[in-house]
Amino acid sequence: ATAMSLSQFNVHKSTQYSTVIFVVASYGTGGPTDDATSFYNWLKTSLKPDLSHMQYTVFGCGNSDYTDSYNGMAKFVDAKIGAFGATRFFDLSLGDAAGEIDHLDNDYDAWEGRVLDVVAPMATADTTSSTTTTIPATAQFISIVKLSSTALQVDFATDVPYTGTGILALYPQNAKEIVSAVAHRCGYNLDHWVDLVDDKAGGAPASIPLPCTVADALTHYVDLCAVSRTIVSALA
């Protein structure tokens, strides 16, 4: 099985995906997140590709405080993939971030247990049986993530307008020493300006407000404190 971001989902080779678990979040008025934009546009504009070979299920991450658009992306993906001929092996499931801080985590954990109970027998089924289906080793699991929550208390100034269902963006601030070290190692000039382009996978560019200098980008919009394979490869 393979886990990947939806930005890596190759819509032009959709026939290679035989069994897929989609985990998608909704943003704004039920639309896609940045990394799912290309996939969303493909579903929206595609001339009905044949996905009759595919088995799938969808888990949505949403917030029921947004009643008109609650888990809109998950519902859209579930309906479109089904309309293209794919077969659901597990019903659409909706995770809700409203209420208790760990509500979405609990929804995900409960769903994960149930869906794995279905997947496990499928993966080990006898391929000679006419009543079972086997998940091949090339099955793709799209955007499978372990959700987590952090409780924050924010004290707003009295002149800052905010409602309970508004969107609050919190940006990290990396230490100047780390920013300088990374820029030096990568050969970046901190005073140069950033120009965003599409990545090689065809996904949407990173969400960084422009105009923006390299110093601002590395200070506020990149997590330099988490060790990832991408960062290690870039610095190797």
Side-chain angles (χ1 to χ4, degrees), residues 3-204:
M4 66 175 71
S5 165
L6 277 174
S7 64
Q8 299 172 295
F9 186 88
N10 192 333
V11 297
H12 302 296
K13 296 182 179 179
S14 57
T15 55
Q16 69 179 297
Y17 305 118
S18 59
T19 303
V20 185
I21 298 176
F22 294 96
V23 178
V24 299
S26 298
Y27 180 75
T29 57
T33 53
D34 287 345
D35 67 332
T37 299
S38 294
F39 178 70
Y40 171 82
N41 290 336
W42 174 70
L43 289 178
K44 193 173 182 179
T45 61
S46 180
L47 298 177
K48 198 172 183 179
D50 180 12
L51 299 183
S52 58
H53 61 282
M54 181 186 292
Q55 299 179 96
Y56 78 102
T57 189
V58 179
F59 179 83
C61 306
N63 189 317
S64 60
D65 287 338
Y66 298 84
T67 55
D68 294 336
S69 58
Y70 174 54
N71 263 307
M73 180 62 176
K75 295 173 183 177
F76 175 78
V77 171
D78 179 70
K80 276 292 188 179
I81 297 295
F84 292 161
T87 302
R88 295 178 189 84
F89 71 84
F90 195 86
D91 289 340
L92 167 67
S93 301
L94 304 178
D96 189 2
E100 298 294 330
I101 193 66
D102 57 353
H103 195 175
L104 183 57
D105 281 355
N106 293 337
D107 286 347
Y108 177 85
D109 288 340
W111 166 83
E112 183 183 55
R114 294 195 304 269
V115 80
L116 290 181
D117 285 343
V118 175
V119 170
M122 292 168 63
T124 58
D126 183 353
T127 58
T128 62
S129 172
S130 60
T131 60
T132 59
T133 304
T134 299
I135 297 179
T138 56
Q140 305 294 316
F141 294 81
I142 308 300
S143 294
I144 289 294
V145 294
K146 176 60 178 176
L147 304 175
S148 62
S149 301
T150 300
L152 297 175
Q153 182 173 341
V154 180
D155 185 14
F156 286 101
T158 56
D159 59 345
V160 176
Y162 181 77
T163 59
T165 57
I167 297 175
L168 174 65
L170 300 177
Y171 293 105
Q173 181 167 319
N174 297 306
K176 292 182 179 179
E177 296 79 7
I178 296 177
V179 170
S180 297
V182 170
H184 177 74
R185 184 66 182 83
C186 294
Y188 296 153
N189 186 323
L190 292 174
D191 295 325
H192 283 179
W193 295 93
V194 172
D195 183 24
L196 298 181
V197 297
D198 289 352
D199 60 28
K200 294 180 180 179

